[in-house]
Amino acid sequence: MRSPVWNRIWPTIAFALLLAASGVRSRTAPTVQRLLDAGVNSKIVLQDEVLFNGQPVEGRYDLKTDTVYLSRDHLSEETLTHELGHPATIEALNNP
């Protein structure tokens, strides 16, 4: 079982690893960091193919498992930021 500290820092580590793997320059890192600071700590899964309604997509958020799925082939900061926005919105609506 992971410690609460590990669960809190894992998204930041995952984001850094994803950026390093993608080779893109960080334009949205401040936004993602603010999402993480706000308590968004969803699980992040990198997959060869991400499907939504049977169609390939760049990423998707699964509310039931609080998991962000990202496509290896279409990895981008924008997609990560977009997908992390889903749990952030849910958190803001549940805890105004």
Side-chain angles (χ1 to χ4, degrees):
M1 187 167 157
R2 293 183 180 154
S3 72
V5 172
W6 174 255
N7 288 338
R8 177 67 185 101
I9 64 170
W10 168 243
T12 304
I13 293 169
F15 178 63
L17 291 172
L18 290 171
L19 287 180
S22 69
V24 296
R25 292 179 44 194
S26 180
R27 296 177 308 278
T28 60
T31 302
V32 172
Q33 190 58 54
R34 289 185 76 186
L35 289 169
L36 297 174
D37 290 344
V40 175
N41 60 356
S42 303
K43 183 178 177 183
I44 300 172
V45 175
L46 196 57
Q47 294 182 319
D48 289 331
E49 184 176 51
V50 179
L51 299 176
F52 181 73
N53 291 334
Q55 299 296 314
V57 292
E58 295 176 10
R60 71 177 182 89
Y61 174 68
D62 185 332
L63 175 63
K64 291 180 184 174
T65 62
D66 190 27
T67 303
V68 170
Y69 295 93
L70 299 171
S71 168
R72 278 188 178 89
D73 292 338
H74 303 287
L75 185 62
S76 72
E77 290 179 71
E78 290 80 8
T79 301
L80 178 61
T81 304
H82 172 88
E83 296 306 331
L84 287 177
H86 295 295
T89 301
I90 291 164
E91 177 64 24
L93 291 172
N94 287 336
N95 300 299

